[in-house]
Amino acid sequence: MRFEVSHVLDAIERRLGTDPALAAGVLDVAELIYCADLDGGRPANLVRLGMVVDALARQVGEEHVSAYCVVDKSLLSNQDLTSNERMVMRRWADDGTVEVAVGAAPRVMEISELTGLPIISRALPAVWSPLPGAGGAVLQPRGPVPPGPSPVGRQLTARWWHCPDPECGSFGPARRGSGQPVPRLRNGQPVCARHDAPLGDAGPRPPQQVLAVRIDGVIRTRFVVTAAGPVVVGRAPDGGQGQTGVQLGPWLNEDARAKVSRAHVSVALTQAGISITDLSMNGTLVRLGGAADGELQLSRGASRQLGVSDIVELFPGVEIGRLGALASSRPVDSASVLGEAPTMAFRPNNPGF
Ligand SMILES: [Zn+2]
């Protein structure tokens, strides 16, 4: 049983992150793991986080979307959790997969205000509340989605920050270049929520844009392109020479796998906007304005500025575009995280669980 639970926690881990650009909601872990009515099991259970993340994916129609999770510091020694759950959560905290804060609930509200991320909660002023439902949990709409980051939030996320703790998983050197959480503000000064220490300003962050990958009608993942360097999207980009790559192979059917090149397109952010360069054997189609304004075929080496609602087609049914220009045209499979779980483990009141 322990192994199987660990397997589920690993699946959950892949869907947690503190880069606001890649997350679709923010939540207080301590609150949600006590929602025992979701499964009728023991009072606190970290696996409930998986139910809520799956519900979030269905709600926003993005298969691999992540949740920005805030862990109250007291939870790391909470005796309602198993030692395995506490250990896993400490590892997530050290890696910066989740954010640890003293006072998680006010921090969740601050993150939402600074980043525009919707809150998932029963107790806080939320956009969605988790309730028992099909697939474990459903998110019931409660309030409007925030309009976007606040002006202060925009200023904060336009800089890199560094924490005086060299091991910091949130604002350490490793997080520069790959997205950072948003600093906490104390008396107007940016501080690290984990270490409660003032953050140093490490310079301007390059501008970024968020794009989405849609395969067979479902948004599978998001990725960020920054002015610091292009992102290569394809069946299996090699990621060599410090290159960033988005690997589509696991989502492709046999026909698509035969036609989508290992490195198919390069996506760059320049002063003029997002630029697409074809690198492939079989070419790339750009559907202008989604398709409303016609189509354009790119062959190897050709580039094109991506209009706001243009969609890039690597192969029929394999598409990329700005987040917001693409939507899932069919429901997201109901339980991708808990699909990793043995059904036995989720029988209500299972004593081993
Ligand atoms: Zn820190």
Side-chain angles (χ1 to χ4, degrees), residues 163 165 168 170-171 192 194-195 199:
C163 178
D165 188 320
C168 183
S170 296
F171 296 101
C192 174
R194 172 93 199 261
H195 298 105
L199 292 170

Side-chain angles (χ1 to χ4, degrees), residues 160 177 204-211 224-231 267-274:
W160 292 120
R205 251 176 100 154
Q208 65 176 38
Q209 288 273 344
V210 186
L211 289 96
V224 171
V225 59
T226 76
V231 176
V267 185
L269 184 60
T270 67
Q271 294 217 321
I274 296 174

Side-chain angles (χ1 to χ4, degrees), residues 198-291:
L199 292 170
D201 184 337
R205 251 176 100 154
Q208 65 176 38
Q209 288 273 344
V210 186
L211 289 96
V213 174
R214 179 169 67 186
I215 297 176
D216 296 333
V218 171
I219 294 189
R220 306 294 175 162
T221 191
R222 301 181 179 190
F223 66 95
V224 171
V225 59
T226 76
V231 176
V232 175
V233 183
R235 178 165 44 82
D238 65 9
Q241 295 168 341
Q243 205 172 55
T244 314
V246 178
Q247 186 187 347
L248 307 182
W251 290 299
L252 302 180
N253 63 30
E254 209 172 313
D255 288 349
R257 208 167 295 156
K259 297 287 186 181
V260 174
S261 295
R262 289 174 67 88
H264 200 105
V265 291
S266 169
V267 185
L269 184 60
T270 67
Q271 294 217 321
I274 296 174
S275 163
I276 301 282
T277 303
D278 181 84
L279 309 170
S280 74
M281 296 296 292
N282 296 303
T284 298
L285 191 72
V286 181
R287 297 208 309 270
L288 305 170

